Amino acid sequence: MSQHPQGPPPGTPTGPPHGAAAPHAPYPGPAQPEPPAPRKRNWFARHKILTGFLAVLAFVAVIGIATSGDGDEGTSAAPGQSAETNADAAQQDDEPAEAPGIGENVSDGDFEFVVTEVETGVGRIGSEFLNEQPQGQFVLVYLEVTNTGSAAETFWTSEQGLVDTEGRTHSADDSAALLLDDGEFLLTEINPGNTARTALVFDIPADAEPAAVELHGSMFSRGVTVNLQ
């Protein structure tokens, strides 16, 4: 029978021989630095298309502000015209159109009017025994009235007015107009297509001058102005 080798007898030290150096653990070496974190790009770098679009919008806004500022400094000149010429044209556009005058046709509502004559400084209306005198002076405005509608209409002299050179509006004097000769005061209706001749009487101050007459086809119409100068 074979015998197995036996270990050292009990109590025998198993470490390194006396005086021999104990083995050391392996040296770990210098600490390795951690790898740098990946660099994060800014927002504009990550959105190049959107950044370019915003840049274009900002450029257009700056150009618009600059153009608007230039327009405020004066009227821009049209091709072939100076700024002064365009400014004069704009001023002329703001001016009201000149009112029609004596002998011109004007319309309001269902009536067409033509002022044929103006008589100023009249001191009396009527006959020797039945007349009326003005507080200042009578002004007579003669006109033709044509019914352009499709039904009979009445022309009301009380709805008409006279404007003097100081901007004051005077109403018609119907009581004095009743004394006019030759049926010049209109009392009847005008049938469609017919023309009647009448006169409007106004009592205005003696030193006043008539500038225009305001004619109305009815009390609800806008009216039209005829220049008397």
Side-chain angles (χ1 to χ4, degrees), residues 57-134:
L57 288 182
F59 178 76
V60 172
V62 171
I63 294 299
I65 294 174
T67 305
S68 176
D70 293 340
D72 293 339
E73 295 178 358
T75 303
S76 59
Q81 295 181 344
S82 63
E84 291 80 4
T85 302
N86 286 345
D88 294 340
Q91 183 177 3
Q92 292 176 0
D93 292 339
D94 294 337
E95 294 178 356
E98 184 177 356
I102 298 174
E104 298 185 52
N105 294 334
V106 294
S107 298
D108 184 66
D110 290 332
F111 287 114
E112 183 179 83
F113 307 103
V114 179
V115 176
T116 59
E117 183 184 355
V118 178
E119 185 178 359
T120 61
V122 179
R124 186 181 71 179
I125 292 179
S127 64
E128 181 180 354
F129 304 100
L130 183 60
N131 59 69
E132 187 168 344
Q133 297 181 353

Side-chain angles (χ1 to χ4, degrees), residues 98-102 115 118 210-213 225-229:
E98 184 177 356
I102 298 174
V115 176
V118 178
V213 62
T225 301
V226 177
N227 191 358
L228 300 180
Q229 293 187 327

Side-chain angles (χ1 to χ4, degrees), residues 10-182:
T12 303
T14 57
H18 182 72
H24 296 281
Y27 183 73
Q32 297 296 326
E34 296 182 1
R39 185 177 181 182
K40 189 176 181 180
R41 295 182 299 170
N42 60 26
W43 187 91
F44 295 101
R46 288 183 286 114
H47 301 83
K48 295 182 179 180
I49 297 178
L50 184 57
T51 301
F53 179 72
L54 293 176
V56 172
L57 288 182
F59 178 76
V60 172
V62 171
I63 294 299
I65 294 174
T67 305
S68 176
D70 293 340
D72 293 339
E73 295 178 358
T75 303
S76 59
Q81 295 181 344
S82 63
E84 291 80 4
T85 302
N86 286 345
D88 294 340
Q91 183 177 3
Q92 292 176 0
D93 292 339
D94 294 337
E95 294 178 356
E98 184 177 356
I102 298 174
E104 298 185 52
N105 294 334
V106 294
S107 298
D108 184 66
D110 290 332
F111 287 114
E112 183 179 83
F113 307 103
V114 179
V115 176
T116 59
E117 183 184 355
V118 178
E119 185 178 359
T120 61
V122 179
R124 186 181 71 179
I125 292 179
S127 64
E128 181 180 354
F129 304 100
L130 183 60
N131 59 69
E132 187 168 344
Q133 297 181 353
Q135 298 172 347
Q137 62 167 319
F138 283 130
V139 174
L140 277 63
V141 179
Y142 298 90
L143 69 158
E144 298 177 351
V145 184
T146 302
N147 184 350
T148 59
S150 57
E153 298 287 348
T154 300
F155 175 68
W156 301 97
T157 58
S158 59
E159 300 301 326
Q160 319 312 317
L162 181 78
V163 181
D164 62 23
T165 53
E166 295 185 17
R168 300 172 296 187
T169 301
H170 307 272
S171 59
D173 189 338
D174 287 348
S175 61
L178 286 170
L179 301 176
L180 291 173
D181 298 331
D182 302 328

